[in-house]
Amino acid sequence: MMPDSRPQSSDFRAIGYGRQSIDGGDISAVVEVLRSDWLTTGPKVEEFERVFARFCGARHAVAVSSGTAALHCSVYAAGIGPGDEVIVSPMTFAASANCVLYCGGTPVFADVEPETLLIDPAETARKVTERTKAIIAVDYAGQPCNYDALRAVAEKYGLTLIADACHAVGGFYKGRPVGSLAHMSAFSFHPVKNMTTGEGGMITTDNTNYADRMRSFRNHGIATDYRQRETMGSWFYEMVDLGFNYRITDMQCALGISQLKKLPDWIARRRCIAAKYDDAFAKVSGVTPLGLRADVIPPSGNSDTPTLRHSETSSVHAYHLYVIRVSGDRTAIFRRLREAGIGVNVHYIPVHFHPYYREHLGTGPGLCPVAEAAYEGILSLPMFPGLSNADVERVITEVKRAVCKKKTSSAHYP
Ligand SMILES: *Cc1c(COP(=O)(O)O)cnc(C)c1O
């Protein structure tokens, strides 16, 4: 252990990498549901779906119990089964690829672009075979993928384009909201995400057939829900598909409705924090923030989202994560920051490195060299709207300190 000269005052506290924001309005919205007739499958579920669909500019939104359930529903609705291949980014949480396995399909990993770590449309096209049925594009860190190029690949080969938009709710691609850019878009409302329902998820789509299939799939494959039966005065129901219980409660949806109202302000705050980090690290050698695609507008200190969202040429990064690359010993830098109370993390271990994938799909190092090289140097810094300016300054100071220590022992780094 390094000797530590920092004062250990009683207000020294750890800063996590992500954290929910909950206010009194959120709490009363949930309590109100607890006093009502419907705790699940009730009016708040429909209301949340309605407001979320409108927010995303999509015809339908289907609320489910998690982001993982949302991905499973999408892959199911796309009709993926044994023998089918689905092209997925390796730079993501395992759930983005696991959902293909749930349906008996085979995930095929396409490498990412070196600057942004977003799935490379050219690599995606290169991985298409006779068996390919779909693409799952991950808006890594909150930056929308290159959807024009991905849609072109999907159209050319007749594939379903699914967006894993779990990081990107509140972002925009060339004037269009995230959630309206693919055939289906999956969202997560886990507490670290841009908005929360505790656990929860959503799928948006313009396709009524997909929406119907997903509504049935989240409820055991039963064609009508019990509210519909109640209004029709019938006990009869039929299970027409093998579905799951992926329902979400009215308490969660009431929280989601309340959170969604605040999301644009939170994205603006995230962008403001990103701008502070960008500014500070521009002057620090050995620390490089991830790159932005050409149409993505760099963040600025003033709340810039309201004007940007209307531009058809520019895109808005939702900054779920703020990822830097460090040149030098990432593990040592990670440890120093954790010891200093800065909750850094690594997003992600490439999916094809996980033992399950190695054993069952025969994947391993060499499959996606760009993602693998990036993995060695990435760190996610604290990023959530509740971070104060003082917190941000503290993170910047500690990152500089952690990286500098390394540089004295490796003077050859630029
Ligand atoms: C969080 C996340 C998921 C899974 O969402 P859960 O709600 O935790 O099931 C899937 N994909 C990505 C990219 C995520 O960040």
Side-chain angles (χ1 to χ4, degrees), residues 91 324-331 346 348 350 353 369-379:
M91 187 48 79
I324 57 169
R325 289 184 219 246
V326 294
S327 55
D329 185 344
R330 191 264 314 271
T331 306
V346 174
Y348 292 91
F353 275 14
V370 178
E372 292 163 24
Y375 162 60
E376 299 293 327
I378 50 177
L379 273 182

Side-chain angles (χ1 to χ4, degrees), residues 67-77 80-81 86-88 92-107 134-138 162-164 186 217 244 246 351 357:
T68 304
L71 286 162
H72 190 186
C73 287
S74 318
V75 171
Y76 167 81
I80 304 305
V86 177
I87 299 172
V88 190
T92 185
F93 185 55
S96 310
N98 292 350
C99 57
V100 178
L101 296 173
Y102 296 160
C103 292
T106 307
I135 300 166
I136 300 178
V138 181
I162 298 170
D164 179 341
F217 192 66
F244 287 77
Y246 281 158
V351 177
Y357 279 84

Side-chain angles (χ1 to χ4, degrees), residues 118-272:
L118 297 170
I119 195 166
D120 183 337
E123 281 299 302
T124 304
R126 225 172 52 78
K127 293 291 172 99
V128 173
T129 72
E130 300 268 270
R131 296 165 169 239
T132 309
K133 290 283 160 45
I135 300 166
I136 300 178
V138 181
D139 297 328
Y140 175 76
Q143 175 166 215
C145 294
N146 183 346
Y147 280 99
D148 284 345
L150 290 171
R151 274 197 299 259
V153 175
E155 249 163 61
K156 181 169 178 190
Y157 299 101
L159 312 177
T160 305
L161 180 59
I162 298 170
D164 179 341
C166 289
H167 294 182
V169 65
F172 290 81
Y173 176 81
K174 297 187 178 175
R176 291 171 60 184
V178 166
S180 67
L181 306 166
H183 294 114
M184 287 176 272
S185 304
F187 297 90
S188 164
F189 306 125
H190 183 276
V192 298
K193 304 296 159 78
N194 294 359
M195 58 174 280
T196 190
T197 60
E199 296 280 356
M202 189 80 84
I203 315 94
T204 54
T205 183
D206 284 344
N207 183 310
T208 306
N209 177 45
Y210 288 157
D212 288 346
R213 277 169 66 80
M214 293 189 286
R215 284 182 204 289
S216 156
F217 192 66
R218 76 172 164 189
N219 189 32
H220 308 281
I222 293 168
T224 56
D225 70 31
Y226 61 92
R227 280 187 90 220
Q228 285 170 300
R229 286 197 299 280
E230 192 168 86
T231 50
M232 293 186 308
S234 168
W235 49 265
F236 186 76
Y237 71 89
E238 278 181 310
M239 194 203 104
V240 294
D241 271 315
L242 184 60
F244 287 77
N245 177 354
Y246 281 158
R247 295 186 304 257
I248 186 168
T249 66
D250 281 60
M251 288 83 81
Q252 290 168 299
C253 290
L255 180 54
I257 294 162
S258 178
Q259 291 258 303
L260 186 62
K261 290 175 192 150
K262 292 169 279 188
L263 183 65
D265 286 345
W266 288 337
I267 300 296
R269 177 61 188 158
R270 285 175 180 275
R271 293 177 60 77
C272 182

